[in-house]
Amino acid sequence: MMVDHQDIIPEIAQLVFKQGARLYELTPKQKSLEEIYVDIIEGSSNEDTDHH
Amino acid sequence: MTHPAIETQHLRKEYGSKIAVKDLTLQVPQGEVFGFLGPNGAGKSTTVKMLLDLVRPTSGTVKLFGQVPGQAQVRAKVGFLPEHLRFHEWLRAEEFLMFHGKLYGLSSAELKERIPQLLSLVGLANNARLRLSQFSKGMLQRIGLAQAMLNHPKLIFLDEPTSGLDPLGRRLVRDIISQLKSQGMTIFLNSHFLSEVEITCDRVAFINKGQIVRVDTMANLLNQATEVVLRVDTLTPNCVKACNTWDLNCMLMGQRCQ
């Protein structure tokens, strides 16, 4: 799942605990700058195409 | 009042019918390491050339430290490592730096002190007497970096400074950038090595098709949109429902939630 901010991560752990589930893994995977770059540049290129 | 190191307003450059830079407004405060990112042909090099007064904008304004960039007193504060520096390969390393130092208007006495310091800083202290024709690509890149620092600039433009460098050479450049930053220098970095930009820069701008599409701090960029992989023994529908309050794209993959 994608979360907007890392502050949500402890809340996810709490939620799992409240639901009575056993937690085996909770791994935040931060996007690298390369991934962010691709998102931003491709996004701006697509917007440009859409406008035309 | 402290002026920004770089300030542009609605900068535009046309080459005939081709628009290289459309409408670029940017501010880089003093002391910042600023990354300028974008695909080939996005307008990065043209922008840098306008900032350095090597190319005149079609419209818009550029100021470096509150002054127009062509003035001698402004040029004296600026260093530049171009992506493709044409080296005088018949010169020895120290002669090359002496020549460029003279172009900066530095005295022989100053340069005799400065050149060994810089050669040492870029790891070429033992190659001072070697001709540039005998330098490897990485060594040339490092002597180019030394050239850009000769005049103790307050603002330095580095265009692909780690191009052609092996991992040790890249680390050396990274360490030099950190050192320059700690001395209060403003660094405008244009690089495709994004992992290094990530480590080095305080803030970055993304440019595409001649326009800035986003400017943000590295901290903001990296701190958002985190993917979370969750693995539990039992993922109840209630749990998925709750997860979906944070994210509409929560997907069940076996017992993993991604």
Side-chain angles (χ1 to χ4, degrees), chain B residues 3-60:
Chain B
H3 291 285
I6 300 171
E7 191 172 19
T8 73
Q9 293 286 339
H10 306 294
L11 208 54
R12 182 181 178 91
K13 180 65 188 175
E14 298 168 7
Y15 293 105
S17 60
K18 186 182 181 324
I19 302 166
V21 175
K22 225 177 250 179
D23 179 13
L24 192 133
T25 297
L26 190 67
Q27 207 177 74
V28 179
Q30 293 188 33
E32 189 170 76
V33 182
F34 188 82
F36 198 52
L37 312 177
N40 295 331
K44 300 191 298 295
S45 296
T46 305
T47 302
V48 169
K49 285 176 189 165
M50 287 193 284
L51 295 176
L52 288 161
D53 198 40
L54 299 174
V55 162
R56 293 279 154 84
T58 305
S59 58

Side-chain angles (χ1 to χ4, degrees), chain B:
Chain B
M1 177 188 162
T2 306
H3 291 285
I6 300 171
E7 191 172 19
T8 73
Q9 293 286 339
H10 306 294
L11 208 54
R12 182 181 178 91
K13 180 65 188 175
E14 298 168 7
Y15 293 105
S17 60
K18 186 182 181 324
I19 302 166
V21 175
K22 225 177 250 179
D23 179 13
L24 192 133
T25 297
L26 190 67
Q27 207 177 74
V28 179
Q30 293 188 33
E32 189 170 76
V33 182
F34 188 82
F36 198 52
L37 312 177
N40 295 331
K44 300 191 298 295
S45 296
T46 305
T47 302
V48 169
K49 285 176 189 165
M50 287 193 284
L51 295 176
L52 288 161
D53 198 40
L54 299 174
V55 162
R56 293 279 154 84
T58 305
S59 58
T61 58
V62 179
K63 284 191 175 168
L64 303 184
F65 303 104
Q67 295 174 291
V68 290
Q71 297 173 345
Q73 68 267 33
V74 180
R75 284 181 189 267
K77 294 177 187 170
V78 176
F80 177 39
L81 172 64
E83 185 179 4
H84 302 293
L85 182 56
R86 303 284 176 148
F87 291 96
H88 314 88
E89 294 194 339
W90 59 92
L91 294 179
R92 300 174 198 279
E94 60 185 7
E95 291 170 341
F96 170 77
L97 292 178
M98 181 63 78
F99 173 67
H100 278 267
K102 294 278 183 185
L103 291 177
Y104 277 120
L106 303 175
S107 70
S108 297
E110 267 179 293
L111 287 166
K112 276 183 184 152
E113 195 181 326
R114 182 75 176 139
I115 289 171
Q117 289 170 355
L118 285 172
L119 287 171
S120 174
L121 184 66
V122 299
L124 293 172
N126 296 329
N127 305 102
R129 303 283 301 148
L130 199 64
R131 290 190 195 281
L132 299 189
S133 57
Q134 293 171 279
F135 270 35
S136 68
K137 196 177 172 191
M139 289 163 80
L140 286 173
Q141 194 69 1
R142 284 187 275 152
I143 194 86
L145 184 59
Q147 167 278 134
M149 294 186 287
L150 268 167
N151 57 332
H152 295 282
K154 287 176 75 181
L155 166 64
I156 189 165
F157 290 88
L158 302 176
D159 197 353
E160 299 292 350
T162 52
S163 167
L165 296 183
D166 61 24
L168 288 177
R170 290 208 295 273
R171 173 177 280 192
L172 185 133
V173 171
R174 206 162 63 216
D175 290 346
I176 291 171
I177 291 173
S178 299
Q179 201 177 323
L180 297 177
K181 179 182 161 57
S182 70
Q183 293 165 7
M185 195 183 290
T186 310
I187 299 161
F188 192 92
L189 178 66
N190 180 1
S191 174
H192 283 120
F193 280 96
L194 296 183
S195 55
E196 282 165 28
V197 172
E198 189 173 325
I199 298 168
T200 317
C201 290
D202 301 312
R203 211 159 56 98
V204 291
F206 296 86
I207 180 171
N208 194 17
K209 297 178 182 171
Q211 288 188 105
I212 287 189
V213 289
R214 180 152 175 196
V215 184
D216 212 336
T217 62
M218 195 58 74
N220 272 348
L221 283 166
L222 295 176
N223 205 15
Q224 63 196 14
T226 302
E227 185 186 2
V228 178
V229 175
L230 183 65
R231 192 160 62 90
V232 294
D233 61 347
T234 315
L235 200 54
T236 62
N238 276 348
C239 196
V240 175
K241 195 176 165 187
C243 285
N244 279 336
T245 60
W246 291 304
D247 172 40
L248 295 174
N249 297 315
C250 177
M251 295 188 315
L252 270 176
M253 299 178 72
Q255 289 295 81
R256 286 164 72 97
C257 182
Q258 272 186 327

Side-chain angles (χ1 to χ4, degrees), chain A residues 1-4 6 15-16 19 21-30 33 36-37 41 44-45 48, chain B residues 38-39 198 208-209 213 221-222 224-234 236 242-243 246-247 256 258:
Chain A
M1 71 180 85
M2 297 295 294
V3 293
D4 285 340
Q6 293 199 351
L15 171 86
V16 171
Q19 296 293 324
R22 282 162 64 90
L23 180 63
Y24 285 86
E25 181 186 354
L26 178 60
T27 314
K29 288 183 177 174
Q30 207 175 42
L33 184 61
I36 295 165
Y37 172 95
I41 297 299
S44 69
S45 296
D48 204 39
Chain B
E198 189 173 325
N208 194 17
K209 297 178 182 171
V213 289
L221 283 166
L222 295 176
Q224 63 196 14
T226 302
E227 185 186 2
V228 178
V229 175
L230 183 65
R231 192 160 62 90
V232 294
D233 61 347
T234 315
T236 62
C243 285
W246 291 304
D247 172 40
R256 286 164 72 97
Q258 272 186 327

